[in-house]
Amino acid sequence: MFLPLEVLKPKPFGGRAMDEAIQELLSEIRELYLADGIPWCVGYSGGKDSTLTLQLVWMALAGLPVEQRTKLVYVISTDTLVENPVVAAWANRSLEAMRTAAATQQMPIEPHRLTPELEDTFWVNLIGRGYAAPRPKFRWCTERVKIRPSNKFILNVASQHGQVILVLGIRKAESTTRRRTMERHEKGRVRDRLSPHGSLPGSLVYSPVEAWTTDEVWMALMQYPNSWGFSNHDLLAMYRGASEDSECPLVVDTSTPSCGDSRMGCWTCTMVEQDKSLKAMVTNDEELEWMRPLLALRDALDIEDDRHLRDFRRMNGTLMIHRDRLVHGPTPRPPAKTGCVASWRHRPGFAPTAPSTSATSPSSRLTSCT
């Protein structure tokens, strides 16, 4: 007879007291802060990991004499302009609270809300340029609306000071992919706990909570008050609302996962089958019923094949054949030479139904794609 094996979860903080683990981490943060004059950029999204990371940095600096708080710490939060409205409002109000608290507490912390350039915004590309909704093989959104604004700011700071240290709330426990990426960058560390950034020259990455679990993150947030006056319990409530079962067991039962795995990103995202967090918010809170049309619009954008909704004509008025099929437009980019058969520049009102490479109609002009 075989008895079922009980899977035991590791004890939080390696079996140490939480306060002991946090005080050790605060000492490490202070040591790194005082080690040089390189400015810091703390990434803040309003979520649990970035909130805890910023809170730890804030707590560490608060433990230093005012005269030692000489190095600027930029807090950067990128608003894609299509964020979950509840999360976007939370993050924006939090940035304002940080600005006020930093001035009151004499902290060298400077919050910045970053947004994409007009030509990079989601709707300009989806409607204005006619891009299809983002797909795994055509993920045009992340680079434009999220990465470029932050990279521009970071590179600007790095160019002014020679280097910049990015303080990020990334954790190995988030996913297998994240763990592998972090472990790969660890091999190139130039200093203790500082890894080179994969794509930003002059940038080093410091991830203070990289080894923390989700439960440990929530335990710390619930036990330590928010440094800039925003309630961490309200943050927990927001996560609870974004969970399908509207429950967050946390550490009450260490055998069950916390609600911290809720994902709250852009409400227009078609990279996932459905926006579970937004759907849960609308379902769990009748005051958020006004967001239900956003779910409907997001689903309307999520079309696997939208060619029947597109014009055959490209933005420059040409038609293009690729592999014996007419390529639907519009798109601002010129046709690729490979596999391109021909294109027709046609006059207004002319819409050929079955174009062929031998077309000689006076209403169209055959031009070579090469």
Side-chain angles (χ1 to χ4, degrees):
M1 179 179 181
F2 294 95
L3 296 176
L5 295 177
E6 182 181 359
V7 179
L8 299 177
K9 294 181 66 176
K11 293 183 178 180
F13 305 104
R16 294 184 299 166
M18 178 174 61
D19 189 64
E20 177 187 347
I22 288 182
Q23 291 304 320
E24 180 180 313
L25 186 53
L26 294 181
S27 297
E28 176 185 283
I29 294 173
R30 294 189 192 101
E31 181 180 346
L32 287 173
Y33 178 82
L34 296 173
D36 51 50
I38 303 175
W40 286 12
C41 280
V42 182
Y44 176 76
S45 65
K48 64 185 187 308
D49 297 327
S50 63
T51 296
L52 176 62
T53 299
L54 176 57
Q55 186 167 323
L56 290 170
V57 171
W58 198 302
M59 292 167 62
L61 299 187
L64 293 174
V66 175
E67 57 270 17
Q68 290 186 338
R69 306 174 193 169
T70 57
K71 188 165 66 176
L72 257 181
V73 176
Y74 300 99
V75 178
I76 56 175
S77 178
T78 304
D79 186 350
T80 64
L81 305 181
V82 283
E83 295 289 332
N84 180 307
V86 173
V87 179
W90 172 273
N92 292 336
R93 290 197 306 268
S94 187
L95 291 175
E96 290 301 319
M98 288 177 208
R99 190 170 288 108
T100 301
T104 302
Q105 301 174 30
Q106 295 182 279
M107 301 293 287
I109 294 176
E110 191 176 289
H112 291 267
R113 174 178 174 266
L114 310 179
T115 56
E117 298 289 341
L118 178 62
E119 61 268 23
D120 287 336
T121 55
F122 183 85
W123 298 112
V124 164
N125 284 278
L126 186 84
I127 299 177
R129 290 196 171 106
Y131 285 3
R135 285 289 182 268
K137 293 185 179 180
F138 188 45
R139 190 173 183 171
W140 53 264
C141 53
T142 306
E143 169 71 23
R144 288 174 169 83
V145 304
K146 206 169 190 67
I147 297 177
R148 286 181 186 174
S150 57
N151 283 6
K152 180 180 178 181
F153 185 93
I154 293 167
L155 289 174
N156 183 52
V157 174
S159 66
Q160 292 179 18
H161 301 273
Q163 272 188 314
V164 63
I165 294 176
L166 308 181
V167 186
L168 306 178
I170 52 179
R171 296 182 297 112
K172 295 178 181 178
E174 290 181 72
S175 67
T176 302
T177 302
R178 174 60 59 84
R179 177 179 57 79
R180 289 174 179 170
T181 301
M182 294 178 69
E183 289 176 349
R184 184 174 68 252
H185 289 313
E186 283 176 9
K187 297 177 181 178
R189 282 183 171 172
V190 294
R191 285 166 49 187
D192 289 342
R193 299 300 301 273
L194 297 181
S195 304
H197 193 279
S199 59
L200 292 174
S203 303
L204 299 172
V205 177
Y206 173 45
S207 44
V209 295
E210 63 182 14
W212 286 39
T213 66
T214 298
D215 284 332
E216 289 169 345
V217 169
W218 281 118
M219 287 174 66
L221 287 173
M222 293 301 100
Q223 292 298 318
Y224 291 86
N226 186 281
S227 302
W228 53 95
F230 246 49
S231 172
N232 289 338
H233 290 274
D234 289 345
L235 176 64
L236 173 63
M238 184 169 67
Y239 270 86
R240 179 183 293 118
S243 301
E244 290 185 3
D245 56 5
S246 189
E247 293 182 359
C248 292
L250 290 178
V251 295
V252 175
D253 178 1
T254 57
S255 65
T256 56
S258 72
C259 70
D261 290 326
S262 303
R263 297 294 181 186
M264 295 175 284
C266 301
W267 66 267
T268 56
C269 185
T270 50
M271 298 294 295
V272 293
E273 292 186 4
Q274 59 177 315
D275 191 337
K276 294 181 179 180
S277 63
L278 184 60
K279 183 178 180 181
M281 283 183 172
V282 173
T283 302
N284 296 333
D285 189 347
E286 62 180 14
E287 292 186 1
L288 298 180
E289 183 71 22
W290 59 271
M291 292 198 298
R292 192 172 293 279
L294 300 185
L295 281 172
L297 179 54
R298 181 262 169 211
D299 291 342
L301 296 175
D302 191 14
I303 303 174
E304 191 66 32
D305 186 352
D306 66 351
R307 284 178 294 181
H308 65 288
L309 300 175
R310 291 180 171 270
D311 195 335
F312 283 100
R313 292 168 294 184
R314 297 161 68 87
M315 282 187 169
N316 60 7
T318 63
L319 300 177
M320 187 181 76
I321 292 179
H322 177 66
R323 295 180 180 176
D324 298 326
R325 293 184 65 183
L326 198 56
V327 178
H328 293 63
T331 173
R333 298 186 180 278
K337 294 183 180 180
T338 304
C340 183
V341 178
S343 66
W344 286 260
R345 172 90 55 183
H346 58 90
R347 291 196 287 266
F350 175 72
T353 55
S356 68
T357 55
S358 61
T360 57
S361 169
S363 300
S364 63
R365 182 164 59 86
L366 177 64
T367 58
S368 172
C369 292
T370 59

